[in-house]
Amino acid sequence: RQYNLRQSWLKGLLKSVLVLRSVAMTVSSCTVSTLWVACGVFTVSALIFLFKERSNVKAKQYNYVTALMNFLAAAAYFMMALQPDPATPQPFFGVVAGTAPDGAGTFRALYWLRYLSWAATTPLILLDMGMLAGFDFWENFLLICLDILMIGCGYVGAAEDALEFVAFAPGMVFFVIVLFRLANGVQAAAQTDDSDEKAAKMGLCLGITLVTWACYPVFYMLSQQNLISECAEVIAFAILDVVSKAVFGFVLLRDEDLLVDNTEMQVIG
């Protein structure tokens, strides 16, 4: 009888281990699949932007900036998705063990390459918006520097759980300043532009940027506080990245004539 009880206990333990392993494999497959899909979307988008035909030199600049933005995002997602075995919940290169508790006695994964990607791609979004609205060099320079500081604060808070709120606070200050100056500058340019179509394009690109960027700190805190799963975190940030870069790019580059002034119609030889 004692032997039967021990055997039943071992069978129950084995079943629990298999269930947990199955859950871990599912979560890992979810995150890795999402990373690969995002990588594919960014790669295809970047190639379309790069080889999109243009008859104007100024319009081609937007293509190069937007293509580079998406190539950088594709490279980051590629490196984060690399794992020796997708069925194993072990991170690889672009993902390391973080310091934020996951509620199960371990720690959430830190997608550190995500922050490096943002530090490289978000300045290009601002550059696109600055060129469209006609910002001068120093306005673009200020926005880009504040943006990089914002991303740096976010990384520090994510990498060191004890500094989460200490780093998040100044990051949000930089965040508000960037969006406030960007929105004011683009709206002022749209109001004074002679073309209603170009003003509408400015408004739509600004709207995409403001809405997506406003969602980042929300999911950042949900992840840091372990209120959403790792899979949900990866999916949420992937969607935001795709909309703020790939979808933004298609909207921005849709009409060549709206990217240049009538006095700048220089044809590529």
Side-chain angles (χ1 to χ4, degrees), residues 127-263:
L127 182 58
D128 265 340
M129 292 297 301
M131 291 194 299
L132 185 64
F135 290 174
D136 62 32
F137 170 83
W138 290 108
E139 182 65 24
N140 282 326
F141 178 77
L142 174 64
L143 290 177
I144 289 172
C145 287
L146 292 175
D147 172 61
I148 293 173
L149 288 172
M150 174 188 74
I151 301 298
C153 289
Y155 172 74
V156 171
E160 183 50 65
D161 188 55
L163 298 176
E164 178 183 331
F165 293 104
V166 175
F168 183 75
M172 285 305 297
V173 172
F174 296 136
F175 176 80
V176 171
I177 294 174
V178 169
L179 291 194
F180 178 78
R181 293 189 69 93
L182 178 67
N184 273 3
V186 173
Q187 287 176 339
Q191 290 171 359
T192 58
D193 199 277
D194 295 332
S195 170
D196 291 338
E197 290 82 2
K198 186 174 181 179
K201 179 188 284 287
M202 289 185 198
L204 183 54
C205 289
L206 176 64
I208 291 173
T209 301
L210 293 180
V211 171
T212 53
W213 284 35
C215 292
Y216 279 101
V218 175
F219 284 103
Y220 173 89
M221 290 307 299
L222 289 175
S223 302
Q224 288 299 111
Q225 297 303 308
N226 199 42
L227 297 176
I228 58 175
S229 67
E230 182 182 336
C231 180
E233 172 193 347
V234 171
I235 290 175
F237 282 124
I239 291 174
L240 291 175
D241 282 345
V242 167
V243 174
S244 65
K245 298 176 182 68
V247 175
F248 169 88
F250 282 106
V251 172
L252 175 68
L253 303 177
R254 187 171 49 194
D255 301 304
E256 178 180 356
D257 293 344
L258 300 181
L259 299 177
V260 296
D261 298 329
N262 292 330
T263 57

